[in-house]
Amino acid sequence: MGKKQRWDNCALCGKFRLTTREHVVPKGLYPESKGATSTFQRITIAACFDCNNGTSDDDVHFRNVVAMSGDANPSVREVWEGPIRRSFEKVDGRRRALDLFKLMKPALELEGDRYMIYPGNDPRVIGTIRKVVRGLCHHHQLLAVVKNDKVWADVLKYAVPTEFAEAMVIAHAEPDILDYKYLVVDEGELHSFWLLRFYERTTFIAVVFNTSMGIEEPVSMLEGAC
């Protein structure tokens, strides 16, 4: 059975179109054991076909990458032993495995034959983070619509100043899946800063701009604040 469609303003482009309720946080990140208990945490928005078309494949890729990007908590282990393992047995399983392999780099600083994976080097991963932030902006009624070119994102690489972190609003979509913070600035070109931590250990930073911007500014600002 297909998803129920209705006419609504798309939360991602703002156009009045046929939409479906789409998950802001990819639902594949949630283990099957949370299927019944965390329904109220599954944040959804109205999204049109054009804005949501083709993103399901990136959502699966994002889940696989983030699941491999650090120590596993119980939710990661359950997702890995369940849907991720099953996904590798499907027709496109080899492609998905190769997508992960391409991101793995030798960890020369670690003993033995060890490898590390770098989510920030994958445009598909960063694209998913940008879409999540756009959806959260709408969900929290901070901005009705955030276009893709107004969001910059990367893996968090610098320590966040304590006073900056303490000023942020704390939220989550199941703490062991995703906890996040945001701070609305809304001054000049800047609208808000976001920190998103997946599976209690992989953190991304995102910046939402009021106008389309380049990607260097938020990095330099954080460097100066540390």
Side-chain angles (χ1 to χ4, degrees):
M1 182 179 296
K3 293 182 179 180
K4 185 177 180 180
Q5 293 184 324
R6 68 175 184 178
W7 287 94
D8 201 349
N9 290 101
C10 174
L12 299 176
C13 71
K15 296 178 180 179
F16 188 70
R17 291 177 166 180
L18 274 175
T19 65
T20 56
R21 301 304 298 181
E22 298 295 339
H23 291 87
V24 171
V25 182
K27 60 183 180 180
L29 294 173
Y30 293 82
E32 293 170 350
S33 64
K34 290 183 178 288
T37 61
S38 65
T39 302
F40 72 100
Q41 295 285 5
R42 307 296 179 87
I43 302 168
T44 62
I45 56 173
C48 69
F49 176 80
D50 287 346
C51 288
N52 205 53
N53 184 32
T55 61
S56 59
D57 189 69
D58 286 347
D59 288 348
V60 173
H61 177 68
F62 178 83
R63 176 202 63 192
N64 294 350
V65 171
V66 173
M68 288 190 65
S69 301
D71 297 330
N73 67 5
S75 289
V76 171
R77 287 192 288 270
E78 185 178 347
V79 170
W80 186 264
E81 292 300 323
I84 292 180
R85 189 176 295 276
R86 291 196 298 269
S87 73
F88 292 143
E89 298 172 354
K90 295 181 179 180
V91 175
D92 59 355
R94 184 174 183 275
R95 173 180 64 83
R96 295 198 183 282
L98 288 174
D99 286 344
L100 291 176
F101 181 76
K102 292 174 184 177
L103 292 176
M104 297 174 65
K105 304 296 179 183
L108 302 178
E109 69 276 14
L110 300 177
E111 294 183 2
D113 190 15
R114 303 284 295 277
Y115 289 82
M116 296 187 70
I117 195 166
Y118 298 92
N121 293 342
D122 189 332
R124 295 169 67 191
V125 169
I126 297 303
T128 297
I129 292 294
R130 293 165 74 182
K131 186 179 178 183
V132 169
V133 169
R134 294 166 65 202
L136 289 175
C137 277
H138 181 87
H139 170 72
H140 289 287
Q141 299 181 344
L142 305 179
L143 285 171
V145 176
V146 178
K147 297 296 182 64
N148 191 54
D149 62 359
K150 294 182 179 179
V151 183
W152 171 92
D154 197 0
V155 170
L156 182 64
K157 300 174 182 177
Y158 306 98
V160 177
T162 302
E163 63 275 14
F164 187 86
E166 290 179 346
M168 303 183 85
V169 176
I170 299 173
H172 67 84
E174 288 288 331
D176 57 337
I177 308 296
L178 166 63
D179 59 87
Y180 61 95
K181 303 176 181 179
Y182 62 90
L183 177 64
V184 177
V185 180
D186 204 13
E187 294 181 0
E189 295 166 337
L190 287 173
H191 177 268
S192 55
F193 290 90
W194 296 75
L195 294 175
L196 304 94
R197 186 177 67 161
F198 292 85
Y199 294 135
E200 303 178 289
R201 41 69 166 155
T202 305
T203 304
F204 295 84
I205 183 171
V207 182
V208 177
F209 294 95
N210 286 317
T211 58
S212 179
M213 293 290 295
I215 64 172
E216 298 299 328
E217 290 80 357
V219 175
S220 61
M221 282 187 289
L222 281 177
E223 286 177 332
C226 296

